[in-house]
Amino acid sequence: MKVLIVGSGGREHVIAWKAAQSPKVDKIYCAPGNAGIEEYAECVNIGVMDFDALAAFAEEKQIDLTIVGMDDPLVGGIADVFEARGLRVFGPRKNAAILEGSKAFSKDLMKKYHIPTAAYENFTDADTALEYLKTARFPIVLKADGLALGKGVLICNTLQEAQDGVKEIMTDKKFGSAGNCMVIEEFMTGREVSVLSFVDGRTIRTMTSAQDHKRAGDGDTGLNTGGMGTFSPSPFYTKEIDEYCQKHIYQPTVDAMAAEGREFKGIIFFGLMLTKDGPKVLEYNARFGDPEAQVVLPRMKTDMIEVMEACIDGTLDQVDLEFEDNAAVCVVVASGGYPVSYEKGFLISGLDTFKGKDGYYVFHAGTAKGKDGIVTNGGRVLGVTATGADLKEARAHAYEAVKWVDFEHKYYRNDIGKAIDEA
Ligand code: AMP
Ligand code: GLY
């Protein structure tokens, strides 16, 4: 079969790599893709929001399955456009992708269906929000309602910070229309875990757990980023916690969406906080995590294409997901200055070192073909992933491999997976 992948990051690279392993797949296209994805896919220069051009391409090439990696096109309704043209697509429709697209929606859903999450209020005007803050307890968390590249969450320690935050989100519209509405919620403490799952509208199959490192600097300092590194599994995500989440969070979320007439087919990414009062939902995403996918998919034994087809066909109950009994660590190699400002176009050396080395992978996040070779083309440039028998071995391998690649202003965190030592 022929597959089209929509997106251009490290997540889409690992999706392409995994799709290429499926005996069912003969040919892969990726729009727009990047220099690393080209190893597995023919990259076509169509923008991820150009749904008509993407659908026309899928028709012309007789694509059997389109996999949408990114949130923006899903929230914008790409799946609806493809379905209306009779094209098979993996990813939720617009009315289900709202689970990620609107934090106010997701909070209201959790409240209505008693899914554990932080206490909150939604606001549509700045004055009411400012009034509410006067009686609030700090720290407190402000969230722009819509998509904001993972940056629309502000943790405020004082009333002044929170007042400034309301102004940034709602008055100055720092995150654009994402700030037309805002959630103010209780600050939670605990360990964070990312659990990704396949969903067919009724049945949910969770993948192995992972943990992200969202801040730019070592020791969780600096600004929030899309994610600076991950490890999988999380040693803190025990069997008991999993059982609790399956019963109180995962299946109830799928059932709630179905009950609302918003049948969810695709990936639900549960961002969880393991609090002393039990696991609570921090956020939902409607797609694979990036860089969570880079540690979860390399550990997955099951044919990803088969699982995605089962999600579309509503036969996920007949699928068993299997994962290797090993561990993986991904260290994101960024361009110095990310997430604020950084330059592009630096030549990358050492990519060939990964060739033929089992258990070592370099997934491209922001790269392009330059005249002398592959160059940097984004803030997050590469995701160096390694597996190992356990987390410590995987971490040692990942930090060994991160030295193989080089480019000007190369930057990465030195403490990805440090939490493993506390397990
Ligand atoms: P989100 O995009 O909602 O996952 O938020 C980004 C990050 O902000 C999360 O990964 C957490 O580290 C942090 N965060 C979000 N909500 C809360 C909360 N209620 N309490 C504490 N930290 C939070
Ligand atoms: N790494 C977090 C995300 O993909 O949203």
Coordinates of all heavy atoms in Angstrom, one line a residue, residues 98-165:
I98 N -10.8 18.6 18.9 CA -11.0 19.7 19.8 C -10.6 19.4 21.2 O -10.3 20.2 22.1 CB -12.5 20.1 19.8 CG1 -12.7 21.4 20.6 CG2 -13.4 19.0 20.4 CD1 -14.2 22.0 20.6
L99 N -10.4 18.1 21.5 CA -9.9 17.6 22.7 C -8.5 18.2 23.0 O -8.2 18.5 24.1 CB -9.8 16.0 22.7 CG -9.5 15.3 24.0 CD1 -10.6 15.5 25.0 CD2 -9.3 13.8 23.8
E100 N -7.8 18.4 22.0 CA -6.5 19.2 22.1 C -6.7 20.6 21.7 O -6.0 21.5 22.3 CB -5.4 18.6 21.2 CG -4.2 19.5 21.0 CD -2.9 18.8 20.5 OE1 -3.0 17.7 20.0 OE2 -1.9 19.4 20.6
G101 N -7.5 20.9 20.8 CA -7.7 22.3 20.2 C -8.2 23.3 21.2 O -8.0 24.5 21.0
S102 N -9.0 22.8 22.2 CA -9.6 23.8 23.2 C -9.4 23.2 24.6 O -10.0 22.2 24.9 CB -11.1 24.0 22.9 OG -11.6 24.7 24.0
K103 N -8.6 23.9 25.3 CA -8.4 23.5 26.7 C -9.6 23.7 27.6 O -9.9 22.9 28.5 CB -7.2 24.2 27.3 CG -5.9 23.8 26.7 CD -4.7 24.3 27.5 CE -3.3 24.1 26.8 NZ -2.8 22.8 26.6
A104 N -10.4 24.7 27.2 CA -11.7 24.9 28.0 C -12.6 23.8 27.7 O -13.3 23.3 28.6 CB -12.3 26.3 27.5
F105 N -12.7 23.3 26.4 CA -13.5 22.2 26.1 C -13.1 20.9 26.9 O -13.9 20.2 27.5 CB -13.5 21.8 24.6 CG -14.1 20.5 24.3 CD1 -15.5 20.4 24.0 CD2 -13.3 19.3 24.2 CE1 -16.0 19.2 23.8 CE2 -13.9 18.1 24.0 CZ -15.3 18.0 23.8
S106 N -11.8 20.7 26.9 CA -11.3 19.4 27.5 C -11.5 19.5 29.1 O -11.9 18.5 29.7 CB -9.8 19.2 27.2 OG -9.0 20.0 27.9
K107 N -11.4 20.7 29.6 CA -11.6 20.8 31.1 C -13.1 20.5 31.4 O -13.4 19.8 32.4 CB -11.2 22.2 31.6 CG -9.7 22.5 31.5 CD -8.8 21.6 32.4 CE -9.0 21.8 33.8 NZ -7.9 21.1 34.6
D108 N -14.0 21.1 30.6 CA -15.4 20.9 30.8 C -15.8 19.5 30.6 O -16.7 19.0 31.4 CB -16.2 21.8 29.9 CG -16.2 23.3 30.3 OD1 -15.8 23.6 31.4 OD2 -16.6 24.1 29.4
L109 N -15.2 18.8 29.7 CA -15.5 17.4 29.4 C -15.1 16.6 30.7 O -15.8 15.7 31.2 CB -14.7 16.9 28.2 CG -15.0 15.5 27.8 CD1 -16.2 15.4 26.8 CD2 -13.8 14.8 27.1
M110 N -13.9 16.9 31.2 CA -13.4 16.1 32.3 C -14.3 16.3 33.6 O -14.6 15.4 34.3 CB -11.9 16.5 32.7 CG -11.0 15.9 31.7 SD -9.2 16.2 32.1 CE -8.9 17.7 31.2
K111 N -14.7 17.6 33.7 CA -15.6 17.9 34.9 C -16.9 17.1 34.7 O -17.4 16.4 35.6 CB -15.9 19.4 34.9 CG -16.6 19.8 36.1 CD -17.1 21.3 36.0 CE -16.6 22.2 37.1 NZ -16.9 23.6 36.8
K112 N -17.5 17.2 33.5 CA -18.8 16.5 33.3 C -18.7 15.0 33.5 O -19.7 14.4 34.0 CB -19.3 16.9 31.9 CG -20.6 16.3 31.5 CD -21.1 16.9 30.2 CE -22.4 16.2 29.7 NZ -22.8 16.6 28.4
Y113 N -17.6 14.4 33.1 CA -17.5 13.0 33.2 C -16.6 12.5 34.4 O -16.2 11.3 34.4 CB -17.0 12.4 31.8 CG -18.1 12.6 30.8 CD1 -18.1 13.7 30.0 CD2 -19.1 11.7 30.6 CE1 -19.1 13.9 29.0 CE2 -20.1 11.8 29.6 CZ -20.1 13.0 28.9 OH -21.1 13.2 27.9
H114 N -16.4 13.4 35.3 CA -15.7 13.0 36.5 C -14.3 12.4 36.3 O -13.9 11.4 36.9 CB -16.5 12.1 37.4 CG -17.9 12.6 37.6 ND1 -18.1 13.7 38.4 CD2 -19.1 12.2 37.1 CE1 -19.4 14.0 38.3 NE2 -20.0 13.1 37.6
I115 N -13.6 12.9 35.3 CA -12.2 12.5 35.0 C -11.2 13.3 35.8 O -11.3 14.6 35.7 CB -11.9 12.6 33.5 CG1 -12.9 11.6 32.8 CG2 -10.5 12.2 33.2 CD1 -13.0 11.8 31.3
P116 N -10.4 12.7 36.6 CA -9.5 13.5 37.5 C -8.6 14.5 36.8 O -7.9 14.2 36.0 CB -8.7 12.5 38.3 CG -9.0 11.2 37.7 CD -10.2 11.3 36.8
T117 N -8.7 15.8 37.2 CA -7.9 16.9 36.7 C -7.8 18.0 37.7 O -8.6 18.0 38.7 CB -8.5 17.3 35.3 OG1 -7.6 18.2 34.7 CG2 -9.8 18.0 35.5
A118 N -7.0 19.0 37.4 CA -6.9 20.1 38.4 C -8.2 20.9 38.4 O -8.8 21.1 37.3 CB -5.7 21.0 38.0
A119 N -8.6 21.5 39.6 CA -9.7 22.4 39.7 C -9.4 23.6 38.8 O -8.3 24.0 38.6 CB -9.9 22.8 41.1
Y120 N -10.5 24.2 38.2 CA -10.3 25.3 37.2 C -11.5 26.1 37.0 O -12.6 25.8 37.5 CB -10.0 24.6 35.8 CG -11.2 24.1 35.2 CD1 -11.9 24.7 34.1 CD2 -11.8 22.9 35.7 CE1 -13.0 24.2 33.6 CE2 -13.0 22.4 35.1 CZ -13.6 23.1 34.1 OH -14.8 22.6 33.5
E121 N -11.3 27.2 36.3 CA -12.4 28.1 35.8 C -12.0 28.5 34.4 O -10.9 28.7 34.1 CB -12.6 29.3 36.7 CG -13.1 29.1 38.1 CD -14.6 28.8 38.2 OE1 -15.3 29.0 37.2 OE2 -14.9 28.2 39.2
N122 N -13.0 28.6 33.5 CA -12.8 29.2 32.2 C -13.2 30.6 32.1 O -14.2 31.0 32.8 CB -13.6 28.4 31.1 CG -13.2 27.0 31.0 OD1 -12.0 26.7 31.3 ND2 -14.0 26.1 30.5
F123 N -12.5 31.4 31.3 CA -12.8 32.9 31.2 C -12.8 33.3 29.8 O -11.9 32.9 29.0 CB -11.7 33.7 32.0 CG -11.8 33.4 33.5 CD1 -11.0 32.4 34.0 CD2 -12.7 34.1 34.3 CE1 -11.0 32.1 35.4 CE2 -12.7 33.8 35.7 CZ -11.9 32.8 36.2
T124 N -13.7 34.2 29.4 CA -13.7 34.7 28.1 C -13.4 36.2 28.1 O -13.4 36.8 27.0 CB -15.1 34.4 27.4 OG1 -16.1 34.8 28.2 CG2 -15.2 33.0 27.0
D125 N -13.3 36.8 29.2 CA -12.8 38.2 29.2 C -11.9 38.5 30.4 O -11.9 37.8 31.4 CB -14.0 39.2 29.3 CG -14.7 39.3 30.6 OD1 -15.5 38.4 30.9 OD2 -14.3 40.2 31.4
A126 N -11.0 39.4 30.1 CA -9.8 39.7 31.0 C -10.3 40.2 32.4 O -9.8 39.8 33.4 CB -8.9 40.7 30.4
D127 N -11.3 41.1 32.4 CA -11.8 41.7 33.7 C -12.3 40.6 34.7 O -11.9 40.7 35.8 CB -12.9 42.7 33.4 CG -12.3 43.9 32.7 OD1 -11.0 44.1 32.8 OD2 -13.0 44.7 32.1
T128 N -13.0 39.7 34.2 CA -13.6 38.6 35.1 C -12.4 37.7 35.6 O -12.4 37.4 36.7 CB -14.6 37.7 34.3 OG1 -15.4 38.6 33.5 CG2 -15.5 37.0 35.3
A129 N -11.4 37.5 34.7 CA -10.3 36.7 35.1 C -9.5 37.4 36.2 O -9.1 36.8 37.2 CB -9.4 36.4 33.9
L130 N -9.3 38.7 36.0 CA -8.5 39.5 37.0 C -9.2 39.6 38.3 O -8.6 39.5 39.4 CB -8.3 40.9 36.4 CG -7.3 41.0 35.2 CD1 -7.3 42.4 34.6 CD2 -5.9 40.6 35.6
E131 N -10.5 39.7 38.3 CA -11.3 39.7 39.5 C -11.2 38.4 40.3 O -11.0 38.3 41.5 CB -12.8 39.9 39.1 CG -13.7 40.4 40.2 CD -13.2 41.6 40.9 OE1 -12.7 42.5 40.2 OE2 -13.4 41.7 42.2
Y132 N -11.2 37.3 39.5 CA -11.1 35.9 40.1 C -9.8 35.7 40.8 O -9.7 35.1 41.8 CB -11.3 34.9 38.9 CG -11.0 33.5 39.3 CD1 -12.0 32.7 40.0 CD2 -9.8 32.9 39.1 CE1 -11.7 31.4 40.3 CE2 -9.5 31.5 39.4 CZ -10.5 30.8 40.0 OH -10.2 29.5 40.4
L133 N -8.7 36.3 40.1 CA -7.4 36.1 40.7 C -7.2 36.7 42.1 O -6.4 36.2 42.9 CB -6.3 36.7 39.7 CG -6.1 35.9 38.4 CD1 -5.1 36.7 37.5 CD2 -5.5 34.6 38.7
K134 N -8.0 37.7 42.4 CA -7.9 38.4 43.7 C -8.1 37.5 44.9 O -7.5 37.7 45.9 CB -8.9 39.6 43.8 CG -8.5 40.8 42.9 CD -9.5 41.9 43.2 CE -9.3 43.0 42.2 NZ -10.5 43.8 42.0
T135 N -8.8 36.4 44.7 CA -9.1 35.5 45.8 C -8.4 34.1 45.5 O -8.7 33.2 46.3 CB -10.6 35.2 45.9 OG1 -11.1 34.8 44.7 CG2 -11.3 36.5 46.3
A136 N -7.5 34.1 44.5 CA -6.9 32.8 44.2 C -5.7 32.5 45.1 O -5.2 33.3 45.7 CB -6.5 32.8 42.7
R137 N -5.3 31.2 45.1 CA -4.1 30.8 45.8 C -3.0 30.6 44.8 O -3.2 30.1 43.7 CB -4.4 29.4 46.5 CG -5.2 29.6 47.8 CD -5.6 28.3 48.4 NE -4.5 27.4 48.5 CZ -4.6 26.1 48.7 NH1 -5.8 25.6 48.8 NH2 -3.6 25.3 48.8
F138 N -1.8 30.9 45.2 CA -0.7 30.8 44.3 C 0.3 29.8 44.8 O 0.4 29.5 46.0 CB 0.0 32.2 44.2 CG -0.9 33.2 43.6 CD1 -1.8 33.9 44.4 CD2 -0.9 33.4 42.2 CE1 -2.7 34.8 43.8 CE2 -1.8 34.3 41.7 CZ -2.7 35.0 42.4
P139 N 1.1 29.2 43.9 CA 1.1 29.4 42.4 C -0.2 29.0 41.8 O -0.9 28.2 42.3 CB 2.2 28.5 41.9 CG 2.7 27.7 43.0 CD 2.1 28.1 44.2
I140 N -0.4 29.6 40.6 CA -1.6 29.2 39.8 C -1.2 29.1 38.4 O -0.2 29.7 38.0 CB -2.7 30.3 40.1 CG1 -4.1 29.7 39.7 CG2 -2.5 31.6 39.2 CD1 -5.2 30.5 40.4
V141 N -2.0 28.4 37.6 CA -1.7 28.1 36.2 C -2.6 28.8 35.2 O -3.8 28.6 35.3 CB -1.6 26.6 35.9 CG1 -1.1 26.3 34.5 CG2 -0.7 25.9 37.0
L142 N -2.1 29.6 34.3 CA -2.9 30.2 33.2 C -2.7 29.5 31.9 O -1.5 29.2 31.6 CB -2.6 31.7 33.0 CG -2.4 32.6 34.2 CD1 -2.2 34.0 33.7 CD2 -3.7 32.5 35.1
K143 N -3.8 29.1 31.2 CA -3.6 28.4 29.9 C -4.4 29.1 28.8 O -5.7 29.2 29.0 CB -4.1 27.0 30.0 CG -3.3 26.2 31.0 CD -3.7 24.7 31.0 CE -2.7 23.9 31.9 NZ -2.9 22.5 31.9
A144 N -3.8 29.5 27.8 CA -4.5 30.0 26.6 C -5.3 28.8 26.1 O -4.8 27.6 26.1 CB -3.6 30.4 25.5
D145 N -6.6 29.0 25.7 CA -7.5 27.9 25.3 C -7.0 27.1 24.1 O -7.1 25.9 24.1 CB -8.8 28.5 25.0 CG -9.8 27.5 24.5 OD1 -10.0 26.5 25.2 OD2 -10.4 27.7 23.4
G146 N -6.5 27.8 23.1 CA -6.2 27.2 21.8 C -4.7 26.7 21.7 O -4.0 26.8 22.6
L147 N -4.4 26.3 20.5 CA -3.0 25.8 20.2 C -2.0 27.0 20.2 O -2.2 28.0 19.7 CB -2.9 25.2 18.8 CG -3.8 23.9 18.6 CD1 -3.6 23.4 17.2 CD2 -3.4 22.8 19.6
A148 N -0.9 26.8 21.0 CA 0.1 27.8 21.1 C 1.5 27.3 21.1 O 2.4 27.7 21.8 CB -0.2 28.6 22.4
L149 N 1.7 26.3 20.2 CA 3.0 25.6 20.1 C 3.6 25.2 21.4 O 4.8 25.2 21.6 CB 4.0 26.6 19.4 CG 3.7 27.1 18.0 CD1 4.6 28.3 17.6 CD2 3.9 25.9 17.0
G150 N 2.8 24.7 22.3 CA 3.2 24.2 23.6 C 3.7 25.3 24.5 O 4.3 25.1 25.6
K151 N 3.4 26.6 24.1 CA 3.9 27.7 25.0 C 2.9 28.5 25.7 O 3.2 29.5 26.3 CB 4.8 28.6 24.1 CG 6.1 27.9 23.6 CD 6.8 28.6 22.5 CE 7.9 27.7 21.9 NZ 8.1 27.9 20.5
G152 N 1.6 28.1 25.5 CA 0.5 28.9 26.0 C 0.2 28.6 27.5 O -0.9 29.0 27.9
V153 N 1.1 28.0 28.2 CA 0.8 27.7 29.7 C 1.8 28.6 30.5 O 3.0 28.5 30.3 CB 1.1 26.2 29.9 CG1 1.0 25.9 31.4 CG2 0.1 25.4 29.2
L154 N 1.2 29.3 31.4 CA 2.0 30.2 32.3 C 1.8 29.8 33.8 O 0.7 29.7 34.2 CB 1.7 31.7 32.2 CG 1.7 32.3 30.8 CD1 1.2 33.7 30.8 CD2 3.1 32.2 30.2
I155 N 2.9 29.5 34.5 CA 2.8 29.1 35.9 C 3.2 30.4 36.7 O 4.3 30.9 36.5 CB 3.7 27.9 36.2 CG1 3.1 26.7 35.5 CG2 3.8 27.7 37.7 CD1 4.0 25.5 35.5
C156 N 2.2 30.9 37.4 CA 2.4 32.2 38.1 C 2.5 32.1 39.6 O 1.6 31.5 40.2 CB 1.3 33.1 37.7 SG 1.1 33.3 35.9
N157 N 3.6 32.6 40.1 CA 3.8 32.5 41.6 C 3.2 33.6 42.4 O 3.0 33.4 43.6 CB 5.4 32.4 41.8 CG 6.0 31.2 41.3 OD1 5.5 30.1 41.7 ND2 6.9 31.3 40.4
T158 N 2.9 34.7 41.8 CA 2.3 35.8 42.5 C 1.1 36.4 41.8 O 1.0 36.2 40.6 CB 3.4 36.9 42.7 OG1 3.7 37.4 41.4 CG2 4.6 36.5 43.4
L159 N 0.4 37.2 42.5 CA -0.8 37.9 41.9 C -0.3 38.8 40.7 O -0.9 38.7 39.7 CB -1.5 38.7 42.9 CG -2.7 39.6 42.4 CD1 -3.8 38.7 41.8 CD2 -3.3 40.4 43.6
Q160 N 0.8 39.5 41.0 CA 1.3 40.3 39.9 C 1.7 39.6 38.6 O 1.3 40.0 37.5 CB 2.6 41.1 40.4 CG 3.2 42.1 39.4 CD 2.2 43.2 39.2 OE1 1.7 43.9 40.1 NE2 1.9 43.5 37.9
E161 N 2.3 38.4 38.8 CA 2.7 37.6 37.6 C 1.4 37.1 36.9 O 1.4 37.1 35.7 CB 3.5 36.4 38.1 CG 5.0 36.5 38.2 CD 5.7 35.3 38.7 OE1 5.3 34.2 38.2 OE2 6.5 35.4 39.6
A162 N 0.4 36.8 37.7 CA -0.8 36.3 37.1 C -1.6 37.4 36.3 O -2.1 37.2 35.3 CB -1.7 35.6 38.1
Q163 N -1.5 38.6 36.9 CA -2.2 39.7 36.3 C -1.5 40.0 34.9 O -2.1 40.3 33.9 CB -2.2 41.0 37.2 CG -3.2 40.8 38.3 CD -3.0 41.9 39.4 OE1 -1.9 42.4 39.6 NE2 -4.0 42.1 40.2
D164 N -0.1 40.0 35.0 CA 0.6 40.2 33.7 C 0.3 39.1 32.7 O 0.2 39.4 31.5 CB 2.1 40.2 34.0 CG 2.6 41.4 34.9 OD1 1.8 42.3 35.0 OD2 3.7 41.3 35.4
G165 N 0.1 37.9 33.2 CA -0.2 36.8 32.3 C -1.5 36.9 31.6 O -1.6 36.6 30.4

